[in-house]
């Protein structure tokens, strides 16, 4: 069975500090790496360009989901079997990418979600833990498939998914929208444990506003 041909998509907002380290560790050629600068007001775009990867720039900050959608549009006509999405803040280990690809290939999965497992001695902030447990349960029910970590930004998506599933959201709820729509349309969703270290990075999630956006997505999905 042949290896999957893949691209790496990284949405980035004000990540000039951590992005070079992430890019240097990706196990693929630079031509297959796409960074979407989501209207950063630092040197994120310049840093990415200096590293030799493809850079797409949003004119202003539109949200993580909008950045992912921009990347998906760019990749739709490219000859890849799938896309790895990974966050720019260094919390994910790029060395796990071959395992994502193997899981997708061997299990015939259209999506493989990285389910976060904390390193010994670390703990996910309580509010994040409760939010993730709740949203993952709701997304599981609405997608019809068991999903343990719906908010994980580290995942594999097949070319079929990014080409055939229309997305309408633009913020953090986009990752849930993908899972709900893919599950309902019969795409196979798998999961793989990943290590994550929380070292005090400030989250860009607005707890109230993004919760309201998630609820809005769920209400819309009931009739969608």
């Amino acid at each position: 069975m042949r290896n999957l041909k893949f691209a790496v998509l990284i949405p980035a907002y004000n990540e000039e500090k951590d992005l070079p380290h992430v890019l240097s560790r990706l196990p693929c050629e630079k031509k297959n790496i796409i960074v979407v600068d989501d209207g950063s007001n630092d040197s994120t775009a310049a840093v990415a360009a200096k590293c030799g990867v493809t850079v797409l720039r949003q004119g202003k900050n539109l949200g993580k989901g909008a950045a992912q959608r921009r990347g998906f549009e760019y990749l739709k006509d490219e000859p890849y079997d799938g896309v790895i999405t990974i966050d720019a803040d260094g919390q994910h280990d790029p060395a796990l990418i071959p395992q994502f690809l193997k899981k997708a290939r061997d299990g015939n999965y259209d999506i493989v979600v990285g389910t976060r497992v904390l390193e010994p001695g670390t703990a996910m902030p309580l509010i994040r833990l409760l939010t993730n447990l709740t949203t993952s349960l709701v997304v599981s029910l609405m997608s019809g498939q068991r999903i343990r970590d719906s908010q994980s930004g580290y995942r594999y998506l097949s070319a079929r998914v990014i080409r055939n599933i229309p997305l309408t959201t633009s913020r953090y709820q986009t990752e849930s929208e993908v899972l709900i729509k893919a599950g309902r349309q019969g795409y196979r969703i798998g999961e793989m444990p990943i290590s994550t270290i929380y070292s005090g990075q400030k989250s860009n999630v607005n707890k109230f506003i993004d919760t309201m956006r998630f609820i809005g997505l769920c209400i819309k999905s009931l009739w969608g």
Side-chain angles (χ1 to χ4, degrees), residues 10-29:
I10 307 175
Y13 177 63
N14 293 341
E15 293 290 356
E16 64 178 7
K17 179 180 177 181
D18 295 317
L19 185 59
H21 182 60
V22 174
L23 294 176
S24 69
R25 298 171 63 206
L26 292 172
C28 61
E29 296 182 49

Side-chain angles (χ1 to χ4, degrees), residues 85-218:
T85 62
I86 187 170
D87 291 346
D89 59 8
Q91 288 187 10
H92 301 147
D93 183 1
L96 296 176
I97 287 178
Q99 295 181 40
F100 274 90
L101 300 174
K102 185 177 187 303
K103 182 81 174 185
R105 184 193 62 195
D106 294 351
N108 196 28
Y109 290 114
D110 290 288
I111 298 175
V112 177
V113 180
T115 301
R116 288 169 285 188
V117 178
L118 298 178
E119 293 288 344
T122 66
M124 181 184 291
L126 181 59
I127 187 64
R128 289 195 194 183
L129 177 62
L130 294 176
T131 298
N132 195 34
L133 288 172
T134 302
T135 56
S136 295
L137 175 59
V138 173
V139 170
S140 295
L141 293 172
M142 300 196 76
S143 68
Q145 300 194 43
R146 182 70 174 97
I147 297 166
R148 302 175 193 274
D149 193 352
S150 66
Q151 302 304 300
S152 173
Y154 200 0
R155 54 179 70 177
Y156 168 87
L157 300 97
S158 71
R160 292 199 310 155
V161 168
I162 66 171
R163 289 170 183 159
N164 298 329
I165 295 181
L167 301 173
T168 61
T169 57
S170 61
R171 299 287 175 174
Y172 287 96
Q173 75 273 39
T174 301
E175 287 164 334
S176 295
E177 182 186 15
V178 171
L179 297 174
I180 291 171
K181 290 183 174 179
R184 286 182 168 183
Q185 293 183 31
Y187 292 98
R188 299 192 70 228
I189 302 173
E191 63 180 7
M192 190 187 81
I194 61 172
S195 59
T196 300
I197 299 175
Y198 290 94
S199 55
Q201 295 100 327
K202 182 180 179 181
S203 173
N204 291 316
V205 176
N206 184 302
K207 298 178 182 62
F208 177 76
I209 294 176
D210 285 300
T211 297
M212 292 300 102
R213 286 174 177 148
F214 177 76
I215 292 172
L217 167 67
C218 293

Side-chain angles (χ1 to χ4, degrees), residues 10-75:
I10 307 175
Y13 177 63
N14 293 341
E15 293 290 356
E16 64 178 7
K17 179 180 177 181
D18 295 317
L19 185 59
H21 182 60
V22 174
L23 294 176
S24 69
R25 298 171 63 206
L26 292 172
C28 61
E29 296 182 49
K30 292 180 179 179
K31 66 179 181 179
N32 298 324
I33 302 171
I34 296 90
V35 172
V36 182
D37 174 28
D38 187 27
S40 298
N41 49 37
D42 67 359
S43 299
T44 292
V47 165
K50 186 176 181 180
C51 291
V53 305
T54 298
V55 181
L56 306 178
R57 298 192 67 180
Q58 305 279 61
K60 60 180 180 180
N61 180 237
L62 299 174
K64 183 180 182 181
Q68 289 182 326
R69 287 171 58 190
R70 174 81 180 277
F72 293 156
E73 285 296 324
Y74 176 84
L75 291 167

